[in-house]
Amino acid sequence: MTWQSPIAPGISWYQDSLGARPQFPAMDGSRTVDVAVIGGGFTGLQAAYNLAKAGVSVVLIEGYRVGDGASGRNGGQFGTGQRAWPDDLEKDIGFERSKALFDIAEHAKHYVLDFAREHDIDMEFLPGQLNVLHKKSYEKDYRKSVEAMTSRYEYSHVSFMEKAETAERLGSDHYHFGVRDTGTGHIHPLKLIVGLAKAAKAAGAQIFEMTPAKSIRQAGGKTLIETSSGTITADRVLIATNAHIGNLEPVTAAHVMPIRSFIGATVPLDDFPTIIPGKEAIADSRFVVRYFRKTLDNRLLFGGREAYTADSPRDISKHIRKQIAEIYPALNNIEMTHAWGGSVGITLNRQPFVREVMPGVMSIGGYSGHGVMLSNYCGKLYADMVVAKDKALEQFSSLDVPSFPGGTTLRAPLLFLALSWYALRDRF
């Protein structure tokens, strides 16, 4: 029977193309460990894997199925650097810190690729990404960013695309210009999640699904996590729930806001060879980003409709197909085989939220749509901090990530108003 996640609408193409999906048992009884991890996405599983490999006793609990959150349902795009262009980030934190964060992102990219090779995970990596401009007025800024990346940030894989090249590589004249990045790519994220979970279990991590954390409290120098089937007592805890923090921990909830994002998959586009002939991933310059890519079997995966509430549309494919047709009119009536959604954790300034929220309790999330590489690497860096007192994670924990205004009552309505305003600006 096909698994339908209670926290995410629709059955993803990733799930249907995966084949047998491994299951882990629910926790039965209490546990005492060195480290407890809450959340079975990229961050939590990488932390569990690297901790267990180093001989640290670790339990990971997931409220539903491993990969049910954004890690297993996202657009699969790596990107390069942080969420913002490095020269834009530099305006806020200075060149030295911006360069350090850019370098960390490059380490993250190579780490994920090396991890997949080491563990023989066929995550269907395809190279290349195009960032395309939906407004001519952005040309100057994008040219400037390309120049900064190639010179001061020593990244030689990007080039600015004029109108003709953009149209040829995209198979559409919908966008004005673009930036080509040959140093990155895109993946099948659920295949990576499954391979990662298997590696973590083989390393000795205890993984339990269908075991939601009910509460966290501290007593006697330990942290206690209550579940419906027992208590986990740990010296350290990693909260890696991202958009699904709920009411578990208030500091994280004040800084990481869930928004809904939706993706559709078409039938294979064998009759449309000019559409993304190089199979690169695409992301456009809208604030409400449209992101799409070709799969190995020639489907178009297209994401773009966001909802700033916990609600989901009744017909996801209808909205996605409309956006596809704006870029590719020939696909106006293309058959959509899958349409799904999920919650993305965002922060106010789109920088990752990494903070000790209680003594010995670290929370990591809020990747703001740029988490495929960063979430994996942050999980590894957390383990490095625990095992070897490595300080690389401080590059993120020292960032000034403000809380959302409005408190628990007004936070979501204010976010809806603000992001709806930015979405309106995308049209003009």
Side-chain angles (χ1 to χ4, degrees), residues 137-154:
S137 59
Y138 292 171
E139 176 187 358
K140 182 179 178 180
D141 288 340
Y142 272 61
R143 286 187 186 274
K144 182 182 176 183
S145 293
V146 168
E147 170 60 26
M149 289 179 72
T150 56
S151 58
R152 292 186 296 111
Y153 286 83
E154 302 173 335

Side-chain angles (χ1 to χ4, degrees), residues 310-367:
D311 299 329
S312 300
R314 292 181 180 178
D315 185 355
I316 298 172
S317 61
K318 175 183 177 181
H319 298 281
I320 295 296
R321 187 187 288 107
K322 181 180 178 181
Q323 291 187 344
I324 291 174
E326 290 178 16
I327 302 170
Y328 300 109
L331 301 183
N332 184 54
N333 296 312
I334 194 70
E335 180 185 348
M336 307 288 292
T337 60
H338 298 78
W340 68 96
S343 294
V344 180
I346 68 169
T347 62
L348 195 61
N349 60 1
R350 299 299 194 273
Q351 295 171 3
F353 177 73
V354 179
R355 186 173 302 181
E356 187 176 57
V357 295
M358 303 179 197
V361 179
M362 180 73 77
S363 182
I364 304 178
Y367 302 105

Side-chain angles (χ1 to χ4, degrees), residues 134-288:
H134 81 293
K135 288 185 178 182
K136 284 185 177 181
S137 59
Y138 292 171
E139 176 187 358
K140 182 179 178 180
D141 288 340
Y142 272 61
R143 286 187 186 274
K144 182 182 176 183
S145 293
V146 168
E147 170 60 26
M149 289 179 72
T150 56
S151 58
R152 292 186 296 111
Y153 286 83
E154 302 173 335
Y155 186 76
S156 61
H157 305 291
V158 290
S159 60
F160 190 85
M161 299 188 299
E162 302 294 346
K163 173 73 174 180
E165 183 182 359
T166 302
E168 182 180 0
R169 294 192 182 280
L170 206 63
S172 168
D173 61 2
H174 183 75
Y175 292 96
H176 300 288
F177 302 101
V179 175
R180 185 185 183 204
D181 187 346
T182 60
T184 188
H186 51 105
I187 66 168
H188 187 304
L190 191 56
K191 285 192 173 183
L192 177 58
I193 275 284
V194 167
L196 172 54
K198 290 178 178 178
K201 181 182 178 181
Q206 301 177 65
I207 301 175
F208 300 109
E209 294 180 326
M210 309 306 293
T211 307
K214 302 293 186 182
S215 65
I216 303 176
R217 60 187 175 89
Q218 296 191 304
K222 303 283 187 178
T223 299
L224 285 72
I225 303 168
E226 301 294 344
T227 77
S228 58
S229 55
T231 301
I232 303 172
T233 303
D235 297 322
R236 292 176 178 264
V237 171
L238 170 62
I239 299 173
T241 56
N242 200 21
H244 299 282
I245 185 64
N247 297 318
L248 182 63
E249 196 285 306
V251 178
T252 305
H255 289 80
V256 179
M257 176 74 71
I259 64 172
R260 286 292 208 192
S261 187
F262 305 97
I263 304 176
T266 71
V267 294
L269 301 183
D270 298 334
D271 295 333
F272 301 92
T274 61
I275 293 179
I276 322 179
K279 283 190 167 67
E280 298 95 342
I282 318 291
D284 76 9
S285 57
R286 286 177 170 85
F287 185 87
V288 182

